[in-house]
Amino acid sequence: MTQYRVLPGPEHFLPPAAASMGIYLPNPGEAHINGVIVPEEKAYEEAARQFLMAQVPTIFPGPLVLWAWNEKAAKKAAAVRSLYETLKECVQPGQKPMLIPMPDYRPKYPKINPEVEINPNHPNLTIWHNKIDCCMFIGVHCHQANLSLKIIRGGTSCYTVAMCAQAGHEDAMLSFRDASVEKILKLGEWIRKLKGTVKPRLASAKTSASN
Amino acid sequence: MSKERIKISPDLYDIMPSDYQDLVQSATYGKEDRGWKDIGTSKELIEQHSLCAGCPESMAFRYILASLPNPEDTVMVGSTGCTSLVFPMVAVHNIHSLFGNQNAIASGLKRALSVRFPDRVKDVVVLAGDGATVDIGLDMTLQAWFRQEKFTTICFDNELYANTGGQESGLMQKGFVAKMAPVGKLFDKVRLPEIARESGCHYVVNCTVSKPSLVEKVIRNSVLIAREIGPTYIQLYTPCILEIGKNSMEGLQEMRDSEKPTERFAYKEYVSEPAKQFLAELAAKDKERKAAAKQLAGKA
Ligand SMILES: Cc1ncc(C[n+]2csc(CCOP(=O)(O)OP(=O)(O)O)c2C)c(N)n1
Ligand code: SF4
Ligand SMILES: [Mg+2]
């Protein structure tokens, strides 16, 4: 049997849950890349590289950081903002970092406005509309994140990163676990460190937007 | 009770869609005398809906949301049907339950909330169609009342299964012919208000939603009585204009016609003795509060 790997799609209409394909979650101090367990340090480097390579690197903050339901949430929100500012400083002309909220999970009918928000029930709309080729989920409850990450893998070619506050997400292409303010800021440091060393995918703009 | 519960993280405030910014700035959460008159002047807790144009359920929804005494600490439980099309647009916590299970879900929820938040008032309000309340969910509806579960049950009575195209419901009138019930109903409309009273509900009202002030009073009473004393039941006529062949503008008149003294939605109310006493105390406190406010205003 070939080993399943969590790779950018489009996989197909209903991609399997990565867990059902034998992908398991990292232990503390670890992360996973494409379903392979790696030391956390390696994941920072890879996530930073993916962000710097992308045409439209995007952070999707979810309800757990958008709403100041406790002090820690507000602090994480500040760290997310700082990460976004770092990203803007470190990308090259032609790259367009975005920060798009997922305020809640309700199925919004008849449609969402993909320019200003992402909804977990049809995340592909926001990704297609903005031609997002790399994104990071942060502050999204586990079940909604998994659902959404699977839909993205099924219908788009976007690279997905999860900065998860719990045990990580199998359905992302790269997942951290135990997310904290420090970890969010550390990813920013890695982006700074790799600034100018990664070639953006700008030349292949056509293929990256073909999701 | 305040908007403290729904603050946006300051560092991400600017990226929130304007709907959410408006909600935390100008919704009526925490406003003591909130009511239907706030509709259209402050941020509504429902602005859009995907019901048929002119469906009285949309009016009913708005009046109910405007009348909840404690919206930020209220969880509504819905069920499948036309009502469930509106819940995604409602800025009050809500749970969609499996068709008919709403009163069972609400029972567990209410108990769990009182264990989890012993020092905070948490209201649970069920809102479901007549099919969910009286037919498929009757078991759950009645058992919750027998057990004296402390939450409000609201039934949007449109006298048929609207969402699935017009099948017969227990609350349909005798003889009525619907699109998917061509034979005509063979037995009488189930007398659920009377059954509610006999099953232990402390406050029961049967009416239409033609008068917003009345709906406001009824909803407020029902939630407060459920919180302090025991189960309450409100049956609201929200005619399915689509199924009875009316135009968008005709829902209100249909309700007015059906609430005449001899009609099936003539205002009917039952209040248990403990609930009567509670309401009297509430009225006395209200009077005191208003007098104090008046005195204060006079001094100023
Ligand atoms: C368990 C289950 N049984 C049946 C259905 C199909 N169903 C969907 S809506 C509906 C009727 C709803 O009627 P009512 O509760 O009166 O609400 P209305 O649409 O009239 O507002 C039915 C039977 C379902 N969704 N789930
Ligand atoms: S089908 Fe009837 S009850 Fe349902 S939204 Fe339309 S008018 Fe209202
Ligand atoms: Mg009905």
Side-chain angles (χ1 to χ4, degrees), chain B residues 54-61 63-64 83 127-130 153-162 169 171-173 176 189 193 205-212 214-215 218-219 233-246 250-260 263-268:
Chain B
C55 174
E57 280 195 4
S58 66
M59 291 161 71
F61 244 111
Y63 299 159
I64 290 169
T83 50
L127 198 167
D130 49 311
T153 305
I154 303 173
C155 172
F156 275 6
D157 181 7
N158 53 13
E159 307 194 295
L160 43 67
Y161 290 26
S169 122
L171 290 189
M172 184 184 268
Q173 306 169 62
F176 194 83
K189 185 176 174 79
V205 171
N206 177 58
C207 64
T208 79
V209 296
S210 72
K211 301 184 188 80
L214 182 70
V215 178
V218 164
I219 296 300
Y233 174 61
I234 310 301
Q235 187 166 315
L236 300 173
Y237 183 41
T238 53
C240 173
I241 48 175
L242 191 80
E243 284 295 330
I244 58 176
K246 302 262 172 187
E250 292 171 346
L252 185 58
Q253 193 54 48
E254 166 62 23
M255 291 190 282
R256 285 184 178 150
D257 292 344
S258 314
E259 67 193 1
K260 289 182 179 146
E263 291 295 330
R264 63 200 186 289
F265 287 100
Y267 184 82
K268 196 160 46 179

Side-chain angles (χ1 to χ4, degrees), chain A residues 6-17:
Chain A
V6 193
L7 299 171
E11 196 165 331
H12 50 74
F13 180 51
L14 286 173

Side-chain angles (χ1 to χ4, degrees), chain B residues 57 80-83 98-99 129-132 136 158 160-164:
Chain B
E57 280 195 4
T80 321
C82 287
T83 50
L98 179 71
F99 192 65
D130 49 311
I136 301 178
N158 53 13
L160 43 67
Y161 290 26
N163 197 233
T164 39

Side-chain angles (χ1 to χ4, degrees), chain B:
Chain B
M1 285 209 295
S2 79
K3 284 190 209 160
E4 283 301 293
R5 210 68 54 70
I6 50 156
K7 275 195 302 208
I8 296 174
S9 292
D11 287 278
L12 297 177
Y13 186 87
D14 60 326
I15 62 161
M16 275 295 228
S18 54
D19 261 11
Y20 298 88
Q21 294 176 351
D22 291 350
L23 192 73
V24 296
Q25 273 168 16
S26 62
T28 52
Y29 294 124
K31 187 177 163 203
E32 199 167 333
D33 289 321
R34 62 192 301 278
W36 74 273
K37 287 187 181 138
D38 293 317
I39 295 175
T41 58
S42 62
K43 178 77 179 181
E44 291 176 30
L45 303 185
I46 155 186
E47 280 193 326
Q48 305 176 333
H49 64 77
S50 39
L51 301 168
C52 298
C55 174
E57 280 195 4
S58 66
M59 291 161 71
F61 244 111
R62 289 202 161 102
Y63 299 159
I64 290 169
L65 287 171
S67 314
L68 293 174
N70 194 19
E72 61 276 40
D73 272 310
T74 299
V75 186
M76 299 187 75
V77 182
S79 198
T80 321
C82 287
T83 50
S84 55
L85 300 177
V86 183
F87 274 113
M89 319 290 180
V90 168
V92 168
H93 289 294
N94 57 81
I95 295 178
H96 178 76
S97 67
L98 179 71
F99 192 65
N101 274 6
Q102 59 281 351
N103 278 38
I105 303 274
S107 302
L109 179 67
K110 176 71 192 184
R111 292 185 197 189
L113 288 174
S114 38
V115 173
R116 173 70 180 79
F117 302 101
D119 305 324
R120 218 188 273 171
V121 173
K122 290 275 183 186
D123 295 320
V124 172
V125 176
V126 166
L127 198 167
D130 49 311
T133 309
V134 185
D135 294 337
I136 301 178
L138 185 64
D139 180 3
M140 276 59 80
T141 307
L142 293 185
Q143 297 287 350
W145 294 343
F146 298 159
R147 291 191 306 264
Q148 292 287 291
E149 303 286 355
K150 288 176 142 179
F151 62 84
T152 302
T153 305
I154 303 173
C155 172
F156 275 6
D157 181 7
N158 53 13
E159 307 194 295
L160 43 67
Y161 290 26
N163 197 233
T164 39
Q167 291 82 6
E168 177 177 314
S169 122
L171 290 189
M172 184 184 268
Q173 306 169 62
K174 188 174 180 178
F176 194 83
V177 174
K179 288 199 189 99
M180 298 219 186
V183 173
K185 181 130 182 261
L186 297 176
F187 58 96
D188 282 327
K189 185 176 174 79
V190 172
R191 295 167 64 190
L192 199 62
E194 285 81 0
I195 296 174
R197 187 190 65 204
E198 294 304 315
S199 306
C201 284
H202 289 270
Y203 183 70
V204 180
V205 171
N206 177 58
C207 64
T208 79
V209 296
S210 72
K211 301 184 188 80
S213 327
L214 182 70
V215 178
E216 181 180 311
K217 188 188 93 185
V218 164
I219 296 300
R220 237 187 116 71
N221 284 351
S222 68
V223 173
L224 295 176
I225 293 172
R227 191 192 284 173
E228 300 297 333
I229 298 172
T232 55
Y233 174 61
I234 310 301
Q235 187 166 315
L236 300 173
Y237 183 41
T238 53
C240 173
I241 48 175
L242 191 80
E243 284 295 330
I244 58 176
K246 302 262 172 187
N247 291 326
S248 304
M249 303 300 287
E250 292 171 346
L252 185 58
Q253 193 54 48
E254 166 62 23
M255 291 190 282
R256 285 184 178 150
D257 292 344
S258 314
E259 67 193 1
K260 289 182 179 146
T262 53
E263 291 295 330
R264 63 200 186 289
F265 287 100
Y267 184 82
K268 196 160 46 179
E269 178 185 85
Y270 163 74
V271 194
S272 74
E273 282 310 317
K276 267 185 201 155
Q277 203 180 330
F278 171 74
L279 288 181
E281 285 163 15
L282 213 60
K285 270 190 211 150
D286 213 32
K287 208 169 155 188
E288 246 172 60
R289 190 171 58 85
K290 279 186 184 147
K294 209 170 162 186
Q295 218 172 9
L296 208 67
K299 272 187 197 157

Side-chain angles (χ1 to χ4, degrees), chain A residues 123-170:
Chain A
N124 45 330
L125 300 182
T126 300
I127 288 178
W128 284 335
H129 183 86
N130 300 294
K131 302 189 184 342
I132 295 166
D133 52 348
C134 176
C135 70
M136 185 176 96
F137 275 44
I138 175 151
V140 181
H141 286 86
C142 305
H143 50 296
Q144 298 290 350
N146 272 344
L147 164 84
S148 206
L149 289 164
K150 267 197 336 166
I151 297 174
I152 296 174
R153 211 165 80 235
T156 82
S157 61
C158 182
Y159 188 95
T160 53
V161 176
M163 181 58 88
C164 171
Q166 309 287 331
H169 284 293
E170 312 92 337

